[in-house]
Each structure stands twice: as C-alpha cells, then as structure tokens.
Amino acid sequence: MAEIEDAPAVEPTTTIGVDVGLKSLITTSAGKSIQYPRYYIQLEEKLAAAQRSLSRKKRGSANRRKAKAKVAKPGNW
C-alpha cells in the first residue's frame, strides 16, 4: 500500500467576497461582474419571431405549414 504525505497547510494571502445574484451571475468584492449566458433569452426571442411569422401566413397554405413546423420543433427558431 502506498503512503501519501499530507500537503502543508497554506494560509490565504487575500480574501474576496462573491455574490450570486439575479441581475448578474457573479459579482466579486473587487467589482468584477460575470453576466448570465443568454442562451435561453436568445431562444425565446427567436421563438417569438417565428410565432409572429406564423401568424402572418394564410391559413391552409404550404408556407403556413412550414412555419408551423418550425415553431413546433424546439431549437429550430
């Protein structure tokens, strides 16, 4: 059986505070802010545009059928 030596304890030289919030993902005590990724918001905007496009199509048309399939398929907006 192999023996592993304990690593020496290292005292931290600086401390920072981290705040997880609603407006930004992370804000540090140094003032640096990291924003949320916008994947969900971007997909919502694309879906809204696809739904508006669908609403302008004439009922029963081939283009409406294509637009309807585009709205129904997740991630294709």
Side-chain angles (χ1 to χ4, degrees), residues 19-73:
D19 179 39
V20 179
L22 298 175
K23 293 185 180 181
S24 66
L25 182 62
I26 296 173
T27 304
T28 64
S29 58
K32 185 175 179 184
S33 179
I34 300 173
Q35 298 301 318
Y36 284 103
R38 293 186 40 91
Y39 306 121
Y40 182 71
I41 295 168
Q42 289 171 346
L43 283 177
E44 274 186 330
E45 291 168 355
K46 284 185 172 185
L47 174 61
Q51 288 173 332
R52 283 193 304 271
S53 174
L54 172 64
S55 72
R56 290 191 294 265
K57 306 295 184 215
K58 188 174 180 182
R59 289 187 181 257
S61 69
N63 284 334
R64 182 179 172 90
R65 189 172 50 248
K66 290 181 219 173
K68 190 174 179 182
K70 191 173 187 181
V71 168
K73 198 168 194 179

